[in-house]
């Protein structure tokens, strides 16, 4: 009897074979003494296991046992959770950027008039003060040469 | 959450960075200083004297003076670099009779005072923006020592 035949016989005893195969195995057991002996032995073994197997209770409770398994299983909503995490993180970034932007705007408002002169200042000619009467002055500017000249004359 | 995004900052850090940026950005204004070059120049049509007291004016300034004034030769008598800071009025002596005093009036205006023989002769105000753009502020007059010649005090920002 081949190993495959032995497995088929075991499946027949467990009731796992389709009807056609089951009839074939039944005929084999009826005509082959080795097959009949194996079938008898397997039946006895199953009966002994069913009657005499010792129950060994797990020390942890059922709930604890399944909680340990559930802890290491990946959550089914992992994608949704990731999106939620990113959205939450953006709020934190906004909380950081908002005061920074506000401070920069205030800084810009404060700096702008200091860095860029008013138009009146850009167009203003040099102011000249001559405290004494003994000097005369005149001013001219050369735009092409970028030069402002104050000419001082002794009277 | 922090395991997923360990570098997520706290809002207080934003204020800290903003204050730091503000300090950095305002530093140039608060600590503004102006570097100036003051040159006493003699303008003449005569050749350069051989006594070695005068040097040649840098060509860029000389050419600009030539295009504005009638003199063809410009010799450097003295050149001084001066740094003007807010609240200070540095004074430089260009010759025995001529002194200059500088003052930053505001963020846009430089005040130049010309002293002749110790007496205030002129007060001139010059746009800082123009100076930064290469403007020459020139105080000038006829030479008392040699008829037909002229003296020039040219104030500019030195090129880096």
């Amino acid at each position: 009897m081949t190993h495959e035949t032995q497995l088929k016989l075991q499946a027949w005893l467990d009731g796992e074979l389709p009807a056609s195969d089951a009839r074939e195995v039944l005929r084999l057991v009826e005509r082959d003494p080795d097959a009949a002996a194996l079938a008898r032995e397997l039946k006895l073994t199953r009966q002994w296991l069913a009657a005499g197997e010792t129950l060994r209770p797990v020390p942890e409770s059922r709930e604890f046992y399944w909680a340990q398994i559930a802890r290491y299983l990946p959550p089914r909503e992992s994608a949704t959770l990731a999106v939620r995490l990113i959205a939450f993180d953006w709020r934190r970034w906004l909380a950081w950027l908002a005061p920074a932007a506000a401070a920069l705007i205030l800084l810009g408002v404060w700096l702008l008039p200091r860095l860029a002169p008013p138009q009146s200042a850009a167009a203003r000619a040099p102011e000249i003060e001559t405290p004494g009467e003994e000097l005369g002055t005149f001013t001219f500017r050369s735009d092409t040469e970028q030069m402002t000249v104050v000419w001082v004359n002794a009277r | 959450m922090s395991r997923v995004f360990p570098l997520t900052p706290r809002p207080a850090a934003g204020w800290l960075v903003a204050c730091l940026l503000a300090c950095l950005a305002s530093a140039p204004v608060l600590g503004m200083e102006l570097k100036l070059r003051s040159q006493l120049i003699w303008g003449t049509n005569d050749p350069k004297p051989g006594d070695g007291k005068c040097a040649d004016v840098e060509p860029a300034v000389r050419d600009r003076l030539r295009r504005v004034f009638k003199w063809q030769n410009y010799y450097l008598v003295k050149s001084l670099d001066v740094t003007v800071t807010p609240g200070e009025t540095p004074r430089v002596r260009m010759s025995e009779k001529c002194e200059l005093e500088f003052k930053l009036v505001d963020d846009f205006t430089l005040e130049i005072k010309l002293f002749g023989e110790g007496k205030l002769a002129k007060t001139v105000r010059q746009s800082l923006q123009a100076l930064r753009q290469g403007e020459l502020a020139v105080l000038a007059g006829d030479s008392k020592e040699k008829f037909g010649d002229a003296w020039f005090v040219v104030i500019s920002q030195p090129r880096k």
Side-chain angles (χ1 to χ4, degrees):
Chain A
M1 190 166 49
T2 62
H3 180 66
E4 189 180 352
T5 307
Q6 289 174 351
L7 290 176
K8 202 173 246 184
L9 185 61
Q10 190 174 345
W12 171 68
L13 287 171
D14 291 339
E16 294 172 351
L17 283 181
S20 57
D21 290 350
R23 280 194 296 272
E24 186 183 335
V25 172
L26 180 60
R27 282 196 292 273
L28 176 69
V29 169
E30 284 171 352
R31 69 169 185 266
D32 184 351
D34 289 341
L38 179 60
R40 209 166 31 247
E41 186 181 344
L42 287 173
K43 273 183 185 177
L44 284 172
T45 302
R46 192 171 60 180
Q47 286 171 5
W48 290 337
L49 284 174
E53 188 178 24
T54 308
L55 285 176
R56 296 192 180 278
V58 180
E60 287 84 14
S61 68
R62 182 183 181 87
E63 288 75 18
F64 176 82
Y65 180 74
W66 284 110
Q68 295 300 308
I69 294 174
R71 175 177 293 182
Y72 293 103
L73 286 175
R76 187 176 285 179
E77 295 179 343
S78 58
T80 314
L81 183 63
V83 170
R84 221 179 291 151
L85 281 174
I86 291 169
F88 179 76
D89 194 60
W90 268 110
R91 281 200 295 272
R92 294 194 68 175
W93 273 103
L94 282 176
W96 177 80
L97 288 172
L104 284 176
I105 289 170
L106 287 173
L107 178 68
V109 169
W110 182 73
L111 275 180
L112 199 60
R114 286 164 174 78
L115 295 178
Q119 289 188 346
S120 57
R124 186 177 58 198
E127 296 177 17
I128 299 169
E129 176 195 358
T130 310
E133 292 291 327
E134 63 271 18
L135 290 175
T137 61
F138 66 91
T139 303
F140 64 93
R141 186 175 191 283
S142 168
D143 288 333
T144 54
E145 300 303 329
Q146 277 190 286
M147 187 186 298
T148 304
V149 180
V150 179
W151 194 268
V152 182
N153 279 326
R155 287 176 177 166
Chain B
M1 308 286 176
S2 60
R3 288 178 188 166
V4 182
F5 300 102
L7 296 177
T8 303
R10 294 171 180 277
W15 289 110
L16 187 66
V17 172
C19 291
L20 190 65
L21 285 173
C23 292
L24 287 175
S26 59
V29 172
L30 298 175
M32 186 181 73
E33 64 172 30
L34 180 69
K35 292 184 187 302
L36 294 173
R37 178 162 294 163
S38 177
Q39 301 177 89
L40 179 60
I41 294 171
W42 171 38
T44 181
N45 285 323
D46 292 341
K48 186 178 179 180
D51 56 5
K53 290 182 179 176
C54 299
D56 291 329
V57 178
E58 61 178 297
V61 175
R62 181 198 62 199
D63 292 344
R64 287 166 76 178
L65 291 171
R66 271 183 183 166
R67 287 192 286 265
V68 173
F69 300 104
K70 63 179 182 180
W71 296 278
Q72 289 303 302
N73 299 324
Y74 296 88
Y75 302 119
L76 182 66
V77 179
K78 191 170 185 179
S79 177
L80 288 172
D81 285 350
V82 59
T83 301
V84 189
T85 52
E88 292 186 358
T89 53
R91 193 159 169 165
V92 295
R93 178 178 289 273
M94 300 307 297
S95 70
E96 286 183 7
K97 296 178 181 178
C98 174
E99 285 180 283
L100 292 172
E101 189 178 278
F102 301 96
K103 180 185 176 185
L104 285 170
V105 178
D106 54 34
D107 292 339
F108 315 107
T109 312
L110 172 70
E111 187 175 83
I112 307 164
K113 287 187 174 177
L114 172 69
F115 293 87
E117 297 177 343
K119 292 180 181 176
L120 178 62
K122 295 295 305 175
T123 302
V124 176
R125 287 191 171 178
Q126 179 65 48
S127 160
L128 283 180
Q129 187 189 26
L131 277 175
R132 291 192 183 104
Q133 291 172 353
E135 179 93 358
L136 297 180
V138 179
L139 291 157
D142 292 317
S143 171
K144 291 179 181 176
E145 296 170 358
K146 187 165 189 277
F147 181 77
D149 289 356
W151 58 268
F152 300 85
V153 175
V154 178
I155 296 149
S156 61
Q157 277 215 302
R159 299 286 179 193
K160 293 177 182 175

